[in-house]
Amino acid sequence: MSAVSSTEQTGRRVEEVLDRLAESGDTAAAAAAEELVRSLMDFYGAGLARILHLLSGAPGEAAARLLDDDLVASLLVLHDLHPEDRDTRIARALDGLREHTLEVVGFDDESGTLTLRAREADGCGCGSDTGAREAAEAALACFAPEVRAVDVQTAPAGPTLLQIGTAPTGAR
């Protein structure tokens, strides 16, 4: 199991427990649980911010290794501490996809929709929109929470290749 999927599962479990507490009717317990989660988030966020501060004077290799780690990068995004901007994080997430070649077409800030153009690795433009969208959504989930929807367009087919052979001997 990857660190990202483990992180996603943990987040879902926390939400489920908080929902169960809210549904139990014990509003004091639910409020206390939410306050506990917020306090822990603040505590860990402050620790992560301190780590980044201490690394800011260190050689770039250490920071780059942290950003290359899926779990650390997703925690930095969760706490709004990731030093890379949205477009860089999107590019980093999409670069990790092996089975799809996706190109960013644009991002709608209002709706949170990221529009991508899909191509197979050979550039034929016949990629699977559904598979590419699902792969992109999974890759972006932890690294670009501002992306709320992904729209994948199929790249238009390129010009037809004409093969030009040599003329038979004597045909000239």
Side-chain angles (χ1 to χ4, degrees):
M1 179 185 317
S2 75
V4 173
S5 64
S6 175
T7 304
E8 290 172 9
Q9 288 176 346
T10 301
R12 281 194 293 273
R13 280 197 325 262
V14 168
E15 287 178 13
E16 289 169 3
V17 170
L18 290 175
D19 288 344
R20 283 196 322 256
L21 279 168
E23 292 168 0
S24 74
D26 188 346
T27 56
E34 285 188 39
E35 182 180 348
L36 175 62
V37 169
R38 275 195 298 279
S39 295
L40 286 172
M41 291 286 296
D42 290 345
F43 176 71
Y44 289 118
L48 289 169
R50 181 73 176 144
I51 290 169
L52 287 178
H53 174 74
L54 293 171
L55 284 175
S56 66
E61 182 181 327
R65 286 183 30 219
L66 285 175
L67 296 180
D68 285 340
D69 183 276
D70 290 346
L71 177 59
V72 173
S74 67
L75 287 171
L76 293 175
V77 169
L78 177 67
H79 290 281
D80 200 23
L81 295 170
H82 202 290
E84 295 176 336
D85 64 14
R86 179 197 69 214
D87 294 340
T88 304
R89 288 183 283 111
I90 288 171
R92 182 187 288 266
L94 296 177
D95 283 346
L97 299 178
R98 306 225 187 288
E99 63 277 354
H100 301 282
T101 303
L102 299 169
E103 172 188 359
V104 175
V105 174
F107 182 76
D108 182 341
D109 288 308
E110 191 172 311
S111 68
T113 300
L114 177 66
T115 304
L116 302 171
R117 184 173 298 120
R119 291 193 188 155
E120 289 296 315
D122 62 4
C124 71
C126 56
S128 162
D129 290 350
T130 303
R133 188 186 81 253
E134 290 172 355
E137 287 172 346
L140 293 163
C142 289
F143 301 107
E146 52 271 76
V147 176
R148 292 188 295 276
V150 176
D151 178 36
V152 179
Q153 304 170 346
T154 303
T160 303
L161 290 177
L162 297 176
Q163 293 184 346
I164 300 174
T166 57
T169 308
R172 298 180 191 179

